[in-house]
Amino acid sequence: MQDPIVVYIAYVIAAGSPGPSNMAIMNVAMSQGRRPALVLAAGVITMSTCWGLIAVTGISTVLVRYANALIVLKIAGGLYLLWLAWKAARSAAAEDTPTSGLGRPAAALGTLYRRGILMHLGNPKAVLAWVAIMSLGLKPGASPDMALMAFGGCVLLGISIFGGYAVLFSTAPMVRGYARARRWIEASLAVFFAGAGSRLLFSH
C-alpha cells in the first residue's frame, strides 16, 4: 500500500535537520533581515524542487549512468562550500561595527537567490536523498496521482521549513543574539561549511 505520509515524515526530518542550506538561511536572516533570507530560501526551494522532479520522474536513473557529471557537480559544490567557509571566517575575523546585526548591508537579492540554487545544485546527494525518501512510501509502479501527491506535499513542506527558518531567525530576539555573538556565530559557520565542503569533496 502506498503511504505518502511516510514520505512527508522522512522529508521533514531530512529537510529540517541542520545542513549547509539551513545554516546559511539562519545566518542571512539574523545578519541581513527577513527579506534577504526568504530570497535565499527561495533559491534553495527552487533547486530542491528540481532535484525532486528528477527523482520522481525517474530521470535520476539516467543521471547515475553519467557518474563523471555527478563527480563534477560534487567537486564544484564542495569548492563552493569551502568558499563560503572562507567568507564566514573573514567575517568572523573582522572587527565589530555599529552596522553589525540587522543593519548590516544585505547582499543583492539576485545574488542571494543564485547562492541558494548553487548550494543545492552542487550537492548531487540531494537527488539521491529524494529517491530514498520517495522509495519509503511509494512502491514500484505507484500511480502518477500518488507520486504527484507525495512530490507536491514535499514541496509545500520544503517551502514551510526553509521559509520558516528565514522568518524565525529574523525575529528581534534572534537578531539581538546575533549582534552579541556575531563573531562566534560566523566562526562556527566557517567550521561547519568547511566540514561540509570537505565531506562532499572526499566522500565516495
Side-chain angles (χ1 to χ4, degrees), residues 11-97:
Y11 182 84
V12 168
I13 294 172
S17 58
S21 298
N22 287 334
M23 296 295 287
I25 292 171
M26 292 178 198
N27 186 58
V28 169
M30 290 187 290
S31 62
Q32 300 181 31
R34 182 166 300 172
R35 187 182 180 194
L38 286 172
V39 173
L40 176 63
V44 172
I45 292 165
T46 299
M47 197 60 227
S48 177
T49 301
C50 291
W51 281 130
L53 278 172
I54 289 172
V56 79
T57 56
I59 300 177
S60 56
T61 57
V62 178
L63 285 179
V64 172
R65 299 179 184 176
Y66 296 92
N68 291 336
L70 292 179
I71 290 173
V72 170
L73 271 181
K74 188 177 75 166
I75 292 173
L79 292 175
Y80 184 68
L81 287 174
L82 291 179
W83 179 71
L84 291 179
W86 176 78
K87 286 191 64 177
R90 190 176 64 173
S91 176
E95 295 294 332
D96 288 319
T97 66

Side-chain angles (χ1 to χ4, degrees), residues 110-135:
T111 299
L112 288 168
Y113 182 74
R114 288 192 296 273
R115 183 186 303 174
I117 289 178
L118 289 173
M119 291 184 72
H120 252 49
L121 176 63
N123 185 10
K125 290 182 178 180
V127 70
L128 301 180
W130 267 98
V131 171
I133 289 169
M134 290 295 174
S135 298

